[in-house]
Amino acid sequence: MNSLSRFADPFYCITRLIIGLMFACHGGQKILGFPPGGHGDAQGLMLVGGIIELVCGFLMAFGFLTRIAAFFAAGEMAVAYFMVHAKMGFFPIVNKGELAVAHCWFFLFVFFYGSGRWSIDALIARNKAAPVNTPGA
C-alpha cells in the first residue's frame, strides 16, 4: 500500500480539478445557461448560489484561494441541502440531496487539506519561500 502513497497528492489535485470544474458547470448553468441544460436566468438565492458555484468552482479547480473557496462552497451546499432537499424527506437518497451532501463533505475536506502541490497556491507559496540572492552577501 505504501507504493501507492506517492500518488495520493497528484490524485487529490486531479480530483480537486475535476470536481471544481463540475461545480463551476452548475453555476454556469444557473447564470449563463451554459453548459446546455440550465436556465441561465437565475434570480434571488439561486443567483447567489450560481455565483458561488461558478467562482468557487473555478478557484478550487485551479487551486487559487482554495481554502476560502472550499469554505464558501461547503456552506452553500449545506444551505442548499437544508433549504431545498431536506423539506422532501430526511434521507438524502429520498430527497435527491446526495450530490449536495457529497459536495459539502468533499469541500470540507478540501478546506482542511488545502490545495495540494499542483495549484496556484503552491506556486505562490514556493515563490515566497525562494531565497533572495543579494549581491555582496
Side-chain angles (χ1 to χ4, degrees):
M1 195 61 138
N2 286 338
S3 63
L4 293 176
S5 296
R6 64 185 166 160
F7 300 114
D9 193 62
F11 185 82
Y12 165 74
C13 292
I14 293 167
T15 303
R16 188 197 73 237
L17 171 74
I18 292 169
I19 293 178
L21 290 175
M22 288 191 318
F23 195 61
C25 286
H26 284 282
Q29 283 186 321
K30 287 181 180 80
I31 298 171
L32 310 170
F34 181 83
H39 306 295
D41 58 352
Q43 298 175 358
L45 282 179
M46 189 69 77
L47 177 64
V48 173
I51 292 168
I52 291 171
E53 290 168 1
L54 186 65
V55 172
C56 292
F58 280 128
L59 288 174
M60 280 188 290
F62 299 112
F64 183 61
L65 303 174
T66 309
R67 290 181 192 257
I68 296 168
F71 179 78
F72 282 105
E76 191 245 347
M77 286 290 92
V79 167
Y81 180 79
F82 288 110
M83 285 187 72
V84 177
H85 299 284
K87 294 176 183 177
M88 295 181 275
F90 179 74
F91 295 104
I93 195 78
V94 173
N95 64 30
K96 308 280 191 254
E98 309 97 330
L99 189 58
V101 171
H103 271 131
C104 183
W105 282 101
F106 178 75
F107 297 147
L108 282 174
F109 176 73
V110 171
F111 174 70
F112 286 104
Y113 188 85
S115 58
R117 75 176 95 157
W118 293 348
S119 64
I120 295 172
D121 290 341
L123 286 173
I124 292 170
R126 197 174 311 136
N127 289 339
K128 283 184 179 179
V132 178
N133 290 335
T134 55

